Amino acid sequence: MNTSQTLQTVVTDSTALLHQIQNVHWNVTGAQFYPIHKLTEEQYEELFPAIDEVAERLRAIGHTVIITPESLVQSKVPQIDSNADAKTMLQGLIAGHEVVRASIQIAIETADDADDEGTEDLMIARAQVHDKALWMLKAMLA
């Protein structure tokens, strides 16, 4: 894979995750409703402009951004059942963040190999955000 391909994967996986975060935000119920509702709101509000930043980096290095329903279906971010219980929804979000984090790691390594410091720096910053999100979600399940 080259840098543009890895960035495209990050954009696609991040967009799929954004939809899953909003799905949980709108549909979570139960005793943990409020903290999950607030956490997911924080996550999607952070993620939306971040996707734009990654997509703009892809354009800056000369490539088109492709987001279609078909590309989102191909993402490895798991679908979360809108009727699932809160625990299952949190587990789904953890799995989704892990997919995005893995895509970001590949982008970091590819950018490093290509001496593309701008992309590498952007991806390292994104990795830190997803690491924190994973910590928060896992702590809610503990």
Side-chain angles (χ1 to χ4, degrees):
M1 276 189 162
N2 62 38
T3 303
S4 64
Q5 291 168 319
T6 62
L7 284 176
Q8 180 61 60
T9 300
V10 171
V11 169
T12 301
D13 288 345
S14 296
T15 302
L17 177 61
L18 175 69
H19 289 286
Q20 294 310 305
I21 292 169
Q22 289 180 310
N23 181 39
V24 171
H25 177 76
W26 294 324
N27 294 302
V28 69
T29 59
Q32 286 189 300
F33 165 78
Y34 189 74
I36 294 172
H37 186 77
K38 292 305 286 178
L39 179 64
T40 54
E41 183 175 3
E42 291 169 10
Q43 287 186 2
Y44 75 69
E45 286 180 348
E46 188 283 330
L47 188 54
F48 186 81
I51 293 168
D52 185 58
E53 187 175 8
V54 177
E56 288 177 355
R57 179 65 186 165
L58 188 54
R59 293 295 296 150
I61 63 172
H63 297 276
T64 303
V65 180
I66 302 168
I67 291 293
T68 63
E70 296 80 16
S71 69
L72 294 175
V73 169
Q74 293 173 1
S75 170
K76 292 182 177 116
V77 171
Q79 297 291 308
I80 299 171
D81 182 351
S82 299
N83 296 307
D85 60 54
K87 179 180 178 182
T88 301
M89 287 182 167
L90 289 174
Q91 290 168 334
L93 290 179
I94 289 167
H97 277 282
E98 288 173 341
V99 167
V100 173
R101 182 61 177 84
S103 297
I104 289 169
Q105 188 59 43
I106 293 168
I108 290 168
E109 293 165 6
T110 303
D112 182 48
D113 290 346
D115 293 325
D116 181 350
E117 293 175 357
T119 298
E120 186 177 11
D121 288 348
L122 176 59
M123 291 296 95
I124 289 169
R126 294 302 315 145
Q128 293 170 345
V129 171
H130 289 280
D131 290 344
K132 183 176 180 180
L134 283 162
W135 165 51
M136 296 275 185
L137 290 164
K138 288 176 181 178
M140 289 187 97
L141 280 179

